[in-house]
Amino acid sequence: MMGFLIKYSDFYRTHVPENPIELLLDIPKGELIATIGAVNSRLKPFTSNNFDDSRETQIECLRTIFLDNNNPITQSICLPIIKKIIQRPVNNIFFSRVTCLFALQEIINYDSFAEATPEYNFENRERIFKYLLIANDQILTGDKNYKEEGYQKLGNDFFEFFMFRELHHNQYNQCSNAINIFYKSFYLFNKIESDDFFGQHFINYLTWRYNVESINDFLKHIIWTFIKSYDENLNLRYINVPKDNIQAIEILDMFSSKVAYKVPEKDDLKLFDFFPLKKSPLYKGEVNDDKEIVSYILMDEGFYIEKAYSIFINDFWFDYLKPNQICERKDWGNFVGAKFYEPFIEEILKESFLNSPNIILKSANQLLFNIGEGLIEY
């Protein structure tokens, strides 16, 4: 996504409110999360490995906020805003994945929202739009420092300076491929399970954390939830689980459990760790006694599928290995590198060059050479 993020202060030509969350307090938390989750889903189409930053999708996201997607565009409730958007350069972006992540993080960590759904109109739906543009203001905090830090002195180095300053949010413009990630998860879990040292600890962790004793049961629910979560009609990722499916609910509850987390100050780049969303990429809806289902909203596709792989690597360490003093960080890191990652890459390369007899592939211990000073690895 290479567009130019539009800020509230630019679009509305006024200062950002002192406490932006107050714009949303008359709307229930679940409704806000569902709306912003729907915007996020549209930016990453189900059938694509790339983000869609087209003007058409940006307008569709806007109409999603206004609950307006089924109306002819000429009769859209948000037509005045659409006309303003069309007047701007085509590379102007109003909604990005980071816009949604930033807003979701703040909403999740705030509890004083209304419980009853209001009668929606242009004014209260526009406040959601304003809130997302305010998120862009906060995302682009680094912009105001370029001039102060003497960017003219950087000359040809400005591009590297600019990219570094924008890295905190640009890192989330990379898409995760679900099939690849789930395969890596399966490969990783099998390596851990078969390891003499970590294997039993891994089973203990799954039993303690998710109440399952099998990696197959764990991955089955995670992958099946992902596949079933996309609603083509609503363009929203959610899952309804029957109340009698206890094992699935216990796993998904852990994927949606609220994390005790103090959100950093607005000028702290740790805001962009999005720790609460990485730990809990699902949002659990209210459980009603008169309904036989439990509902979860998948807030961010990327964090959900990474939860079973790269985020899991950290979860296993921070939630189980470290607090139980099972091993040192370097022991776990060495295992991931030597027992999982290197063999995984080696397998891919061997498969890639299987039908290339003129290419000799060397890996692992084959890269150890004795050049007179002992073995050196290349």
Side-chain angles (χ1 to χ4, degrees), residues 66-82:
F66 282 86
L67 309 175
D68 185 54
N69 295 90
N70 294 326
N71 295 326
I73 194 167
T74 54
Q75 299 175 22
S76 170
I77 187 176
C78 54
L79 189 59
I81 298 178
I82 292 175

Side-chain angles (χ1 to χ4, degrees), residues 257-302:
S257 59
K258 186 172 181 179
V259 181
Y261 179 70
K262 186 178 185 302
V263 176
E265 299 297 327
K266 295 191 184 303
D267 59 350
D268 188 340
L269 291 184
K270 288 181 180 179
L271 270 173
F272 296 92
D273 288 343
F274 297 126
F275 179 76
L277 297 175
K278 289 177 180 177
K279 291 288 285 186
S280 302
L282 296 180
Y283 176 77
K284 185 177 182 179
E286 294 292 330
V287 178
N288 296 320
D289 294 335
D290 58 338
K291 291 186 178 181
E292 294 303 314
I293 59 170
V294 180
S295 298
Y296 302 85
I297 296 171
L298 198 158
M299 294 182 287
D300 184 75
E301 173 187 308

Side-chain angles (χ1 to χ4, degrees), residues 3 10 23-25 29 75 147 164 176 182 244 253 265 273 304 333 349 372:
D10 292 334
L23 292 170
L24 308 177
L25 296 185
K29 178 184 284 193
Q75 299 175 22
K147 192 169 184 179
F164 176 76
S176 298
F182 288 139
D244 59 1
D253 277 355
E265 299 297 327
D273 288 343
Y304 179 84
L349 292 174

Side-chain angles (χ1 to χ4, degrees), residues 31-99:
E31 173 66 22
L32 292 169
I33 290 174
T35 299
I36 298 172
V39 171
N40 202 16
S41 293
R42 283 164 169 77
L43 296 172
K44 168 64 172 60
F46 181 64
T47 56
S48 174
N49 285 327
N50 299 299
F51 290 106
D52 180 359
D53 59 355
S54 65
R55 172 59 57 81
E56 292 76 16
T57 297
Q58 292 287 303
I59 291 176
E60 184 184 357
C61 289
L62 175 70
R63 299 186 71 191
T64 297
I65 294 171
F66 282 86
L67 309 175
D68 185 54
N69 295 90
N70 294 326
N71 295 326
I73 194 167
T74 54
Q75 299 175 22
S76 170
I77 187 176
C78 54
L79 189 59
I81 298 178
I82 292 175
K83 289 180 178 179
K84 289 181 65 176
I85 289 176
I86 292 174
Q87 292 172 358
R88 303 185 73 95
V90 72
N91 69 335
N92 281 197
I93 303 297
F94 294 80
F95 313 102
S96 72
R97 180 191 180 194
V98 184
T99 305

Side-chain angles (χ1 to χ4, degrees), residues 212-227:
V212 295
E213 297 181 1
S214 161
I215 62 169
N216 290 332
D217 286 341
F218 178 75
L219 284 176
K220 174 186 69 177
H221 288 296
I222 300 308
I223 296 173
W224 185 242
T225 296
F226 178 77
I227 293 172

